[in-house]
Coordinates of all heavy atoms in Angstrom, one line a residue:
Chain B
A85 N -30.5 41.2 -11.7 CA -31.5 40.3 -12.0 C -32.2 40.0 -10.6 O -31.7 40.3 -9.6 CB -31.1 39.0 -12.5
S86 N -33.5 39.6 -10.7 CA -34.2 39.4 -9.3 C -35.0 38.2 -9.3 O -35.5 37.7 -10.4 CB -35.1 40.6 -8.9 OG -36.1 40.6 -9.8
Y87 N -35.2 37.7 -8.1 CA -36.0 36.5 -8.0 C -36.7 36.6 -6.6 O -36.1 36.9 -5.6 CB -35.1 35.2 -8.0 CG -35.8 33.9 -7.7 CD1 -36.7 33.3 -8.7 CD2 -35.4 33.2 -6.6 CE1 -37.3 32.1 -8.4 CE2 -36.2 31.9 -6.3 CZ -37.1 31.4 -7.3 OH -37.8 30.3 -7.0
S88 N -38.1 36.3 -6.7 CA -38.7 36.5 -5.4 C -39.6 35.2 -5.1 O -40.1 34.6 -6.0 CB -39.5 37.8 -5.2 OG -40.8 37.6 -5.7
V89 N -39.6 34.9 -3.9 CA -40.3 33.6 -3.4 C -41.6 34.1 -2.6 O -41.5 35.2 -2.1 CB -39.4 32.7 -2.7 CG1 -38.2 32.2 -3.4 CG2 -38.8 33.4 -1.4
P90 N -42.5 33.1 -2.5 CA -43.6 33.5 -1.5 C -43.0 33.8 -0.1 O -42.1 33.1 0.2 CB -44.5 32.3 -1.5 CG -44.1 31.5 -2.8 CD -42.8 31.9 -3.0
A91 N -43.6 34.7 0.7 CA -43.1 34.8 2.1 C -43.3 33.6 3.0 O -44.4 32.9 2.8 CB -43.8 36.1 2.7
G92 N -42.4 33.3 3.8 CA -42.7 32.2 4.7 C -41.7 31.1 4.6 O -41.1 30.8 3.6
E93 N -41.7 30.3 5.8 CA -40.6 29.2 5.8 C -40.8 28.1 4.7 O -39.8 27.4 4.4 CB -41.0 28.5 7.3 CG -40.0 27.4 7.8 CD -38.7 28.0 8.1 OE1 -38.5 29.2 8.6 OE2 -37.7 27.4 8.1
Q94 N -42.0 28.0 4.2 CA -42.2 26.9 3.1 C -41.4 27.3 1.8 O -41.4 26.5 1.0 CB -43.6 26.7 2.8 CG -44.4 27.9 2.1 CD -44.8 29.1 2.9 OE1 -44.4 29.1 4.1 NE2 -45.3 30.0 2.3
S95 N -40.8 28.4 1.7 CA -40.0 28.7 0.5 C -38.6 28.2 0.7 O -37.8 28.4 -0.2 CB -40.0 30.3 0.4 OG -41.2 30.7 -0.2
K96 N -38.2 27.7 1.8 CA -36.8 27.3 2.0 C -36.7 25.7 1.5 O -36.5 24.8 2.3 CB -36.4 27.4 3.5 CG -36.0 28.8 3.9 CD -35.9 28.9 5.3 CE -34.8 28.0 5.9 NZ -34.7 28.2 7.4
T97 N -36.7 25.6 0.1 CA -36.7 24.3 -0.4 C -35.6 24.2 -1.4 O -35.2 25.2 -2.1 CB -38.1 23.9 -1.1 OG1 -38.2 24.8 -2.2 CG2 -39.2 23.9 -0.1
L98 N -35.2 22.9 -1.7 CA -34.2 22.8 -2.8 C -34.9 23.0 -4.1 O -34.2 23.4 -5.1 CB -33.9 21.2 -2.9 CG -32.8 20.8 -1.7 CD1 -32.7 19.3 -1.8 CD2 -31.4 21.6 -1.8
A99 N -36.2 22.9 -4.3 CA -36.9 23.2 -5.6 C -36.8 24.6 -5.9 O -36.5 25.0 -7.1 CB -38.3 22.9 -5.5
L100 N -36.9 25.6 -4.8 CA -36.8 27.0 -5.1 C -35.2 27.3 -5.3 O -35.0 28.3 -6.0 CB -37.4 27.8 -4.0 CG -39.0 27.7 -4.0 CD1 -39.6 28.6 -2.9 CD2 -39.6 27.8 -5.3
L101 N -34.4 26.7 -4.6 CA -32.9 26.9 -4.9 C -32.7 26.7 -6.3 O -32.0 27.4 -7.0 CB -32.1 25.8 -4.0 CG -30.6 25.8 -4.4 CD1 -29.9 26.9 -3.5 CD2 -30.0 24.5 -4.1
Q102 N -33.2 25.5 -6.9 CA -33.1 25.2 -8.3 C -33.6 26.3 -9.2 O -33.0 26.8 -10.2 CB -33.5 23.8 -8.7 CG -33.4 23.6 -10.1 CD -33.3 22.0 -10.4 OE1 -32.6 21.3 -9.6 NE2 -33.8 21.6 -11.5
D103 N -34.8 26.9 -8.9 CA -35.4 27.9 -9.6 C -34.4 29.2 -9.5 O -34.3 29.8 -10.6 CB -36.7 28.3 -9.0 CG -37.9 27.4 -9.4 OD1 -37.5 26.4 -10.2 OD2 -38.9 27.5 -8.9
A104 N -34.0 29.4 -8.4 CA -33.1 30.6 -8.3 C -31.9 30.5 -9.1 O -31.4 31.4 -9.7 CB -32.7 30.9 -6.8
V105 N -31.3 29.2 -9.2 CA -30.2 29.1 -10.1 C -30.6 29.2 -11.5 O -29.8 29.7 -12.3 CB -29.5 27.6 -9.7 CG1 -28.4 27.3 -10.7 CG2 -29.0 27.7 -8.3
T106 N -31.8 28.7 -11.9 CA -32.1 29.0 -13.3 C -32.0 30.5 -13.7 O -31.5 30.9 -14.7 CB -33.6 28.5 -13.5 OG1 -33.7 27.2 -13.1 CG2 -34.0 28.7 -14.9
V107 N -32.6 31.3 -12.7 CA -32.5 32.8 -13.0 C -31.1 33.3 -13.0 O -30.7 34.0 -13.8 CB -33.4 33.5 -11.8 CG1 -33.2 35.0 -12.0 CG2 -34.8 33.1 -11.8
A108 N -30.2 32.7 -12.2 CA -28.8 33.2 -12.1 C -28.1 32.7 -13.5 O -27.4 33.6 -14.0 CB -28.2 32.4 -10.9
L109 N -28.5 31.5 -13.9 CA -27.9 31.1 -15.2 C -28.4 32.0 -16.3 O -27.5 32.5 -17.1 CB -28.1 29.6 -15.4 CG -27.3 28.7 -14.6 CD1 -27.9 27.3 -14.7 CD2 -25.8 28.7 -15.0
E110 N -29.7 32.2 -16.4 CA -30.3 32.9 -17.5 C -29.6 34.5 -17.5 O -29.5 35.0 -18.5 CB -31.7 32.8 -17.6 CG -32.2 31.6 -18.0 CD -33.7 31.3 -17.7 OE1 -34.3 32.1 -17.0 OE2 -34.2 30.3 -18.3
A111 N -29.4 35.0 -16.3 CA -28.9 36.3 -16.2 C -27.3 36.3 -16.4 O -26.8 37.4 -16.4 CB -29.3 36.9 -14.9
G112 N -26.8 35.2 -16.5 CA -25.3 35.2 -16.7 C -24.4 35.4 -15.5 O -23.4 35.9 -15.6
L113 N -24.9 35.1 -14.3 CA -24.0 35.2 -13.2 C -22.8 34.4 -13.4 O -22.9 33.1 -13.8 CB -24.8 34.8 -11.9 CG -25.5 35.9 -11.1 CD1 -26.6 36.5 -11.9 CD2 -25.7 35.6 -9.7
D114 N -21.7 35.0 -13.0 CA -20.4 34.2 -13.1 C -19.7 34.0 -11.6 O -20.4 34.5 -10.7 CB -19.5 34.7 -14.1 CG -19.3 36.2 -13.9 OD1 -19.0 36.5 -12.6 OD2 -19.0 37.0 -14.7

Side-chain angles (χ1 to χ4, degrees):
Chain B
S86 68
Y87 175 68
S88 90
V89 298
E93 190 70 26
Q94 74 283 359
S95 285
K96 283 168 57 181
T97 63
L98 287 175
L100 293 187
L101 171 90
Q102 177 149 325
D103 281 357
V105 170
T106 306
V107 175
L109 285 166
E110 284 170 349
L113 263 75
D114 60 33

